[in-house]
């Protein structure tokens, strides 16, 4: 419910009716007033814009709202410092892009085991990698091997056949699906960041790949642009500058420049994906493809990333 709605008895009755039907109601950009009190007895979530209220006003709102059985959502949280501050104040939910931003620490280096995992991801995403190479890599990483076995034998996949060796799994899945699964499984071992970051990373990677497909680019470039989207959020995962991370893994200069400088077609597609992800731009006719095409790619990427993470996170 938007902040400019007129609060009268008709509105209160309508909200009460919706709640009785099982709807969950949230008040957007809420500012406390006596007129809003009847709504606070009905709604489930109150969203506070932390950029529209001073620290003192924010604390006053929380004190007043805690008298009601509602959940508090902090919106426009853009940094990890703001997230920690809002969490300490007692907010239940957090909305913003802070989770996709790194907390960069001077002198921090990627641990050796993380570098090994990154190199595994790079190898899996190489267009010409073969099953023998992959089989060797997986046998050297027992945890990823275990997660892959658990996934392929889960009820979610709907596969009745039982798998107990890496070669049969590789042959059954094929390289495309394997690249995706291994990437998310590998990343899930490297950080304790919010699961939504995994979903966002996969969504961005898939969107880059789908845009490349709509442009009728080669399968090799589609795979490359998937990697561009995937690795573009690495610094947010590991809190290490992207330049330092990418200097330690064997990616092509074209992929690195697309991520770091938004150069080339890969960089253009990555920037497009980021803009769409943040709801900042859908006017793609002049730069990538028509708006309906891009929107279709976006919604496909969302559904795909949600499905793929159900059994891998």
């Amino acid at each position: 419910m938007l902040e400019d709605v007129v609060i009268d008895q008709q509105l209160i009755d309508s909200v009460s009716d919706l709640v009785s039907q099982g709807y969950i109601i949230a008040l957007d950009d809420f500012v406390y007033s006596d007129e809003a009190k009847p709504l606070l007895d009905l709604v489930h979530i109150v969203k506070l814009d932390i950029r529209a209220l001073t620290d003192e006003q924010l604390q006053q709102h929380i004190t007043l709202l805690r008298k009601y059985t509602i959940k508090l959502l902090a919106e426009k949280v853009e940094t990890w410092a703001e997230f920690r501050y809002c969490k300490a104040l007692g907010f239940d939910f957090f909305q913003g892009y802070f989770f996709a931003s790194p907390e960069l620490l001077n002198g921090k280096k990627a641990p050796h085991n993380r570098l090994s995992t990154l190199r595994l991801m790079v190898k899996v995403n190489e267009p010409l990698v073969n099953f023998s190479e992959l089989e060797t890599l997986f046998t050297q990483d027992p945890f990823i091997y275990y997660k892959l076995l658990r996934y392929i034998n889960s009820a979610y996949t709907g596969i009745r056949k039982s798998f107990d060796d890496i070669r049969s799994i590789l042959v059954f899945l094929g390289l495309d699906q394997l690249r995706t699964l291994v990437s998310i499984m590998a990343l899930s071992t490297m950080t304790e960041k919010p699961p939504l970051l995994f979903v966002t990373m996969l969504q961005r990677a898939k969107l880059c790949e789908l845009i490349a497909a709509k442009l009728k680019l080669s399968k090799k470039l589609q795979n490359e642009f998937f990697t561009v989207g995937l690795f573009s959020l690495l610094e947010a995962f590991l809190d290490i500058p992207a330049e330092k991370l990418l200097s330690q893994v064997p990616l092509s200069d074209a992929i690195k420049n697309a991520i770091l400088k938004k150069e080339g077609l890969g960089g253009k597609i990555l920037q497009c994906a980021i803009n769409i992800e943040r709801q900042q731009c859908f006017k793609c006719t002049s730069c990538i493809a028509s708006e309906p095409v891009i929107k279709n790619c976006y919604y496909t990427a969302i559904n795909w990333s949600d499905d793929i993470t159900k059994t891998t996170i």
Side-chain angles (χ1 to χ4, degrees):
M1 188 183 303
L2 299 180
E3 66 277 9
D4 57 358
V5 67
V6 177
I7 302 174
D8 54 21
Q9 191 59 48
Q10 182 179 359
L11 175 71
I12 294 169
D13 291 342
S14 297
V15 171
S16 179
D17 181 54
L18 289 170
V19 171
S20 68
Q21 295 179 54
Y23 286 91
I24 295 176
I25 309 295
L27 300 181
D28 191 36
D29 290 338
F30 181 78
V31 176
Y32 190 89
S33 66
D34 289 338
E35 291 79 10
K37 286 182 179 181
L39 284 177
L40 294 174
D41 288 321
L42 297 171
V43 302
H44 305 85
I45 300 170
V46 170
K47 300 172 64 174
L48 298 179
D49 183 344
I50 68 169
R51 281 174 158 60
L53 300 170
T54 66
D55 288 350
E56 183 179 356
Q57 289 173 328
L58 205 56
Q59 293 172 17
Q60 289 174 347
H61 272 69
I62 291 172
T63 299
L64 291 169
L65 293 171
R66 279 303 177 203
K67 299 174 182 178
Y68 300 89
T69 56
I70 54 178
K71 297 290 186 181
L72 297 180
L73 185 152
E75 56 179 328
K76 297 185 181 177
V77 182
E78 301 300 329
T79 70
W80 283 94
E82 289 174 346
F83 163 68
R84 285 191 291 269
Y85 174 67
C86 291
K87 190 173 184 179
L89 286 179
F91 279 96
D92 302 288
F93 304 121
F94 311 90
Q95 182 178 342
Y97 294 104
F98 72 95
F99 72 93
S101 302
E103 285 190 291
L104 301 181
L105 303 176
N106 292 329
K108 186 174 181 180
K109 298 179 180 179
H112 176 72
N113 63 323
R114 290 185 177 183
L115 287 177
S116 298
T117 303
L118 286 175
R119 293 186 180 113
L120 170 63
M121 289 173 59
V122 171
K123 192 66 178 178
V124 169
N125 282 283
E126 287 182 359
L128 300 179
V129 67
N130 60 57
F131 283 157
S132 295
E133 291 177 299
L134 289 177
E135 188 173 5
T136 300
L137 288 170
F138 281 113
T139 55
Q140 294 172 353
D141 196 327
F143 190 75
I144 300 299
Y145 190 175
Y146 161 76
K147 294 198 78 172
L148 198 60
L149 278 170
R150 189 181 69 174
Y151 170 80
I152 198 70
N153 289 308
S154 68
Y156 174 73
T157 62
I159 303 170
R160 295 183 180 181
K161 179 181 176 181
S162 179
F163 294 85
D164 55 15
D165 68 278
I166 191 63
R167 172 56 71 99
S168 62
I169 293 175
L170 298 182
V171 172
F172 180 83
L173 289 176
L175 282 176
D176 288 343
Q177 189 173 3
L178 187 68
R179 286 184 175 112
T180 303
L181 290 172
V182 169
S183 295
I184 189 171
M185 289 173 182
L187 287 166
S188 68
T189 69
M190 296 165 63
T191 183
E192 296 180 354
K193 291 297 181 75
L196 184 58
L197 186 53
F198 292 96
V199 177
T200 301
M201 175 178 261
L202 283 180
Q203 178 183 304
R204 183 183 295 181
K206 191 64 175 178
L207 180 54
C208 289
E209 179 191 274
L210 290 172
I211 292 173
K214 290 296 183 181
L215 294 177
K216 301 187 184 305
L217 301 180
S218 67
K219 189 64 178 177
K220 179 178 181 294
L221 284 177
Q222 292 176 38
N223 288 338
E224 284 187 10
F225 293 160
F226 182 92
T227 302
V228 167
L230 193 71
F231 278 68
S232 66
L233 279 167
L234 268 184
E235 67 174 5
F237 268 86
L238 302 178
D239 295 326
I240 299 172
E243 293 88 345
K244 182 178 291 185
L245 278 173
L246 296 181
S247 69
Q248 301 176 70
V249 292
L251 289 167
S252 69
D253 288 340
I255 290 177
K256 291 180 180 180
N257 289 337
I259 295 170
L260 298 174
K261 303 175 183 179
K262 305 297 188 296
E263 288 184 352
L265 183 56
K268 191 174 184 179
I269 288 177
L270 174 60
Q271 188 60 63
C272 175
I274 292 172
N275 290 343
I276 292 171
E277 179 183 297
R278 298 189 174 187
Q279 301 292 312
Q280 293 175 344
C281 179
F282 271 107
K283 300 176 182 178
C284 305
T285 305
S286 60
C287 60
I288 296 290
S290 67
E291 181 177 336
V293 168
I294 294 299
K295 283 188 174 181
N296 180 261
C297 291
Y298 179 52
Y299 299 138
T300 300
I302 290 174
N303 292 330
W304 176 87
S305 61
D306 286 343
D307 287 342
I308 203 70
T309 52
K310 285 178 181 176
T311 56
T312 52
I313 290 185

